[in-house]
Amino acid sequence: MERTQIIDSFAAAARDPLSYAKQWKARTGRPVIGSFPMNFPGELAHAAGALPMILQESDDPITVGHGLLFPFYCGYTRSMVDQAVRGDFDVLDAIMFGDHCVQLLGAADAIRMQLTNTRVIFFQLISSMCDPWTQGRSEESFAKLRAELEDFAGAKVQDEAMHASIRLFNKNRGLIRRLYDMRKKGIAPLGSVEMQHVVKSSMVMDKAEHTELLEKLVRIYDSAAPLPARNVRLHLSGHFCQAPKPELLEMIEQCGVTVVGDDLYHGFRYISTDVPEQGDPIAGLARWYMDRNTGVPCPTRVQNNVDWDAYLLNAMRDEKAEGMIVLMAKFCEPHMYYYPEVKEAFEKADMPHLLIETEHDGMALESLKTRVETFVEIVKHRQAA
Amino acid sequence: MKQHVMGVDFGSTTAKTVILDLNGNIVSHAVAHMGAVSGNGVKQSMKDALDAAGLTQADIGRTVSTGYGRRMLDEADKNYTEITCHARGAVAMVPGARLVIDIGGQDSKVISVDSNGLVSQFAMNDRCAAGTGKFLEVLARAMEIPLEDMGATALAAQEKLKISSMCATFAETEVISLLAEGHPKTDVLGAVHKAIASRTLGLVGRVGKKGPVVMTGGVANNPAAVHYIQEELQMPLILPDVPQIAGALGAALIGLDDYRAENRQLLISEAEDMAREEQMAADKACVPGCRGVPEFAVDPREKQPVPGKLKSLVGSLQKHF
């Protein structure tokens, strides 16, 4: 199978996740469980025999959804509600909500009111990550989620099934991490839109099918030699729940940029951490939840011994990145609150960065291009100096 | 080697061209008002600048473009953003400047620069044409006053009115309401310029207020805009003689750096050439003072044979040949 064919398969699922879900359901006759980002353990739903799918922001303009959420909610939550009201989520047999921020909670309530016939599973995860009771409370949450899924599926979710799902998900994450490593070394020249297709489709597709395609893709690059690159090496940061728009990523790369790393949710954040494969699977998922925040720190969690800004600077040193573009979705409160710390740390470290605020309803790309090009010129001048 | 370089600012409402000699002196410049990103306007400004310098495009060693249409200019060898070019041009016009306020046709930007004229931080309008030349143009039309008379009229404002909307369309509604309420045009225009100044101060806040401050771009020719911005900033604005050409000048200077670097070996003077040859000869010498002549066996300072090993080496070589 050619590289292009594999990427096209990923892109098709990434662009239209709900159509993929319909086809998968027709093919397998099994249920589809949609979930909000960012910490839902897909392994549990997979072990229960369902297709776990992280619900994605749609490109369509917000229409009827305006009647339920205010325009100062982020594009992701408004799009979720809009898709629910339009009936796009009819394919889902259940929806799983988490509680990362007030806007997601508001969207969950609005969707619950609309989709009265859809099973709604709500679970809370402790956001304080370094207390002595964090592990225990996380285990309680995941155990409760397991019980709800068993009730939904009408069957017990066995430990063996969970271990098998954990192994499959770990393999999938590990393969994507290999691609990241290959991209960093210049062996796998994957553009950031292609990388987004890889990760986003992993959030959507049947994990075994996705893993099989990933193995083929990794094999293509396995024996490749590093390609020389003359572009400015940048790290992309931010954008939690929703994927940055592909046209924005393309525009950034058109300005003479090679993206060598990211901590986007539709990127490295999603696949940073594996679940322990031994021992009690619920305890393993709780460990994974806690380790993820040290793997790639998240501003929605609180952990005194972890700094997102310090993580970013270290990651960039490792990636040999010369600057960072921060993509901040309007109005992502956790990101907005944390950004001043990142800005201060980057200024102190004399590391250039550019903040771009993104919107669901389109952006002035030409004006943004001028800003990105200027940023690239600044980085180049610094290199020359 | 050619003796001139050119910078072209392909702006949204005007086109500007600057021609420099290889010492960085402005040989000619031209500004053409031909409408939005007009190819004709750019051609006209380039032609005017070339004619004024008595040159043709073939005499230009390097052309760098900037502005919204920077990627559309076939003659350009390279292009840079207007932010980079305005910073470079403004610092060339006003050495020591640390902040550049550029208000052009469709965007406004505040640029913090280092001592080399390089951009360290920048902020630009990111909503719409709020606080730009286009904003003034729309309101001039609404108030039926020629654009070029707006500034002088606004300076006669007596009462302090407020226009709260920065959207040109909504501001137009506010302006019409104020006029309908019987406020004189002078006061309403004062409020329009005050609104632009507040917007500019917001951009300054994002990069940090510092001086000296230079104002470039077409709106720098508007005395009321300058007056109200100075009032908001509480700092004087330095205005270059021709503020509109800062971007084109910056582009030309970047082109000049590039052209000089590429032709470094052709740019040295006769005296530098002689000095370099002497240095090379000295570097080649195997004994002190030798200038590369075949008397290498003799120290030319003493005209004495070189003692020791070198002498015997020379002797054995002579025997061989």
Side-chain angles (χ1 to χ4, degrees):
Chain A
M1 204 173 187
E2 292 287 319
R3 171 193 185 280
T4 320
Q5 285 174 287
I6 300 170
I7 297 287
D8 286 351
S9 303
F10 289 151
R15 286 192 191 111
D16 193 357
L18 296 170
S19 292
Y20 178 87
K22 277 179 199 147
Q23 287 161 17
W24 184 87
K25 204 168 165 176
R27 196 169 74 222
T28 63
R30 289 193 273 142
V32 178
I33 299 180
S35 83
F36 273 11
M38 291 185 280
N39 291 303
F40 176 63
E43 291 88 336
L44 265 177
H46 185 266
L51 173 71
M53 168 178 283
I54 295 166
L55 297 173
Q56 303 292 331
E57 183 180 21
S58 155
D59 270 350
D60 295 337
I62 311 294
T63 52
V64 283
H66 271 312
L68 289 164
L69 282 191
F70 287 106
F72 50 77
Y73 274 63
C74 73
Y76 179 79
T77 49
R78 286 186 295 129
S79 175
M80 285 300 106
V81 172
D82 198 56
Q83 289 180 72
V85 178
R86 285 199 312 243
D88 297 351
F89 290 160
D90 289 351
V91 65
L92 305 176
D93 297 281
I95 300 187
M96 227 291 314
F97 295 125
D99 63 336
H100 297 306
C101 71
V102 177
Q103 296 180 39
L104 280 177
L105 283 173
D109 281 341
I111 293 172
R112 206 186 333 224
M113 284 193 303
Q114 290 301 309
L115 305 182
T116 48
N117 296 324
T118 306
R119 174 75 178 253
V120 170
I121 303 167
F122 185 82
F123 88 120
Q124 283 185 298
L125 274 169
I126 186 164
S127 57
S128 173
M129 305 300 281
C130 50
D131 287 319
W133 52 86
T134 305
Q135 170 83 19
R137 291 285 295 277
S138 305
E139 287 179 20
E140 281 171 28
S141 291
F142 287 124
K144 195 172 161 226
L145 180 59
R146 179 185 194 169
E148 287 228 33
L149 283 168
E150 287 172 342
D151 182 54
F152 165 73
K156 282 272 173 204
V157 178
Q158 302 297 335
D159 278 4
E160 295 73 34
M162 280 186 64
H163 278 304
S165 298
I166 286 169
R167 280 194 297 276
L168 177 62
F169 278 55
N170 280 351
K171 185 176 181 184
N172 189 274
R173 282 186 282 255
L175 286 165
I176 300 177
R177 285 199 299 271
R178 274 194 69 190
L179 281 180
Y180 263 91
D181 195 48
M182 287 166 153
R183 180 170 79 157
K184 189 168 65 184
K185 290 173 180 159
I187 296 167
L190 288 159
S192 42
V193 174
E194 290 177 319
M195 208 49 142
Q196 185 186 96
H197 290 329
V198 170
V199 178
K200 195 174 171 187
S201 57
S202 174
M203 297 173 168
V204 168
M205 286 173 72
D206 180 284
K207 208 58 97 177
E209 185 190 352
H210 192 267
T211 305
E212 200 179 314
L213 287 170
L214 266 182
E215 282 178 316
K216 287 177 184 162
L217 186 61
V218 167
R219 266 202 298 277
I220 290 171
Y221 295 121
D222 250 346
S223 52
L227 295 169
R230 296 180 61 194
N231 284 348
V232 168
R233 295 168 68 90
L234 294 187
H235 179 98
L236 283 186
S237 176
H239 254 250
F240 303 122
C241 299
Q242 63 265 66
K245 288 183 187 293
E247 56 268 32
L248 175 66
L249 299 177
E250 274 163 7
M251 179 277 283
I252 288 171
E253 288 178 331
Q254 281 165 9
C255 296
V257 167
T258 297
V259 176
V260 288
D262 69 62
D263 60 299
L264 309 170
Y265 178 57
H266 288 75
F268 195 74
R269 183 180 294 280
Y270 178 65
I271 46 91
S272 71
T273 311
D274 285 343
V275 182
E277 294 183 6
Q278 309 299 323
D280 173 37
I282 291 296
L285 286 173
R287 187 70 250 164
W288 162 79
Y289 169 63
M290 291 168 70
D291 288 347
R292 285 188 82 208
N293 204 51
T294 46
V296 180
C298 177
T300 65
R301 310 291 92 178
V302 180
Q303 192 164 354
N304 295 337
N305 56 348
V306 165
D307 276 325
W308 186 26
D309 37 286
Y311 161 81
L312 286 170
L313 287 166
N314 279 333
M316 289 174 64
R317 265 190 286 275
D318 183 46
E319 292 156 3
K320 296 186 177 64
E322 295 148 313
M324 174 172 79
I325 293 183
V326 176
L327 301 175
M328 183 191 283
K330 279 182 183 164
F331 296 90
C332 178
E333 286 168 341
H335 198 177
M336 286 157 63
Y337 288 140
Y338 204 103
Y339 171 69
E341 285 194 36
V342 172
K343 181 176 188 285
E344 196 182 323
F346 271 61
E347 282 171 0
K348 204 170 163 189
D350 198 27
M351 178 63 89
H353 83 283
L354 175 73
L355 171 67
I356 293 178
E357 282 182 286
T358 66
E359 297 186 49
H360 173 83
D361 307 303
M363 292 165 285
L365 274 183
E366 191 53 38
S367 167
L368 279 179
K369 194 169 188 181
T370 297
R371 291 170 58 198
V372 175
E373 280 184 9
T374 305
F375 181 66
V376 168
E377 285 165 10
I378 291 173
V379 174
K380 280 184 175 170
H381 280 309
R382 286 168 58 101
Q383 286 172 343
Chain B
M1 185 181 178
K2 293 174 182 177
Q3 298 301 309
H4 297 89
V5 296
M6 179 188 269
V8 182
D9 183 353
F10 201 148
S12 59
T13 53
T14 56
K16 289 77 71 177
T17 300
V18 167
I19 295 174
L20 300 178
D21 65 21
L22 295 189
N23 293 316
N25 301 311
I26 296 179
V27 176
S28 68
H29 63 83
V31 180
H33 303 261
M34 303 285 282
V37 194
S38 156
N40 292 337
V42 171
K43 298 279 179 232
Q44 190 60 50
S45 82
M46 289 167 70
K47 183 179 180 308
D48 291 349
L50 286 167
D51 288 351
L55 301 169
T56 68
Q57 189 65 39
D59 298 317
I60 303 297
R62 185 63 35 102
T63 301
V64 171
S65 61
T66 185
Y68 270 119
R70 62 187 177 275
R71 294 180 215 100
M72 292 155 59
L73 190 67
D74 293 338
E75 290 84 351
D77 302 295
K78 280 188 176 179
N79 68 75
Y80 286 84
T81 65
E82 50 271 39
I83 296 170
T84 298
C85 292
H86 268 276
R88 182 73 195 271
V91 172
M93 288 166 151
V94 182
R98 285 292 176 275
L99 199 69
V100 180
I101 295 174
D102 169 54
I103 305 184
Q106 286 189 358
D107 65 22
S108 52
K109 37 202 173 287
V110 172
I111 312 159
S112 154
V113 288
D114 66 17
S115 54
N116 299 315
L118 299 179
V119 180
S120 52
Q121 282 198 64
F122 65 94
M124 63 189 289
N125 61 318
D126 50 5
R127 296 292 177 277
C128 54
T132 68
K134 181 57 79 179
F135 180 79
L136 288 175
E137 210 177 294
V138 168
L139 296 180
R141 204 174 50 230
M143 297 183 70
E144 295 172 333
I145 182 168
L147 184 62
E148 53 279 12
D149 295 345
M150 274 184 107
T153 312
L155 283 176
Q158 298 290 319
E159 191 186 347
K160 285 188 176 175
L161 300 175
K162 193 175 177 186
I163 289 177
S164 48
S165 178
M166 281 314 298
C167 164
T169 310
F170 292 157
E172 193 175 348
T173 314
E174 281 191 66
V175 161
I176 291 166
S177 299
L178 287 170
L179 291 172
E181 284 167 20
H183 292 287
K185 274 187 181 179
T186 47
D187 291 353
V188 177
L189 277 172
V192 166
H193 286 82
K194 173 87 165 57
I196 285 193
S198 305
R199 180 77 186 172
T200 306
L201 188 67
L203 292 178
V204 170
R206 280 160 64 180
V207 301
K209 185 172 158 182
K210 56 183 169 179
V213 192
V214 186
M215 186 168 173
T216 62
V219 177
N221 288 323
N222 176 325
V226 173
H227 166 77
Y228 282 99
I229 292 171
Q230 287 187 138
E231 208 172 72
E232 284 288 315
L233 268 180
Q234 297 180 326
M235 283 173 85
L237 291 179
I238 303 169
L239 301 178
D241 288 342
V242 194
Q244 274 172 294
I245 64 166
L249 173 61
L253 286 167
I254 292 170
L256 180 61
D257 288 347
D258 205 31
Y259 194 57
R260 287 175 66 96
E262 210 173 279
N263 296 285
R264 200 177 296 120
Q265 73 287 359
L266 300 175
L267 280 166
I268 53 174
S269 65
E270 207 171 309
E272 284 172 323
D273 194 29
M274 286 286 287
R276 185 176 286 191
E277 271 193 23
E278 283 197 10
Q279 184 60 46
M280 280 169 66
D283 290 346
K284 275 186 201 167
C286 51
V287 290
C290 170
R291 300 179 66 83
V293 289
E295 300 162 5
F296 58 85
V298 180
D299 184 337
R301 288 172 303 182
E302 297 172 7
K303 295 289 179 191
Q304 292 293 321
V306 179
K309 287 182 181 173
L310 187 57
K311 187 183 172 190
S312 58
L313 176 67
V314 171
S316 70
L317 282 171
Q318 280 171 338
K319 275 181 195 168
H320 252 86
F321 299 103

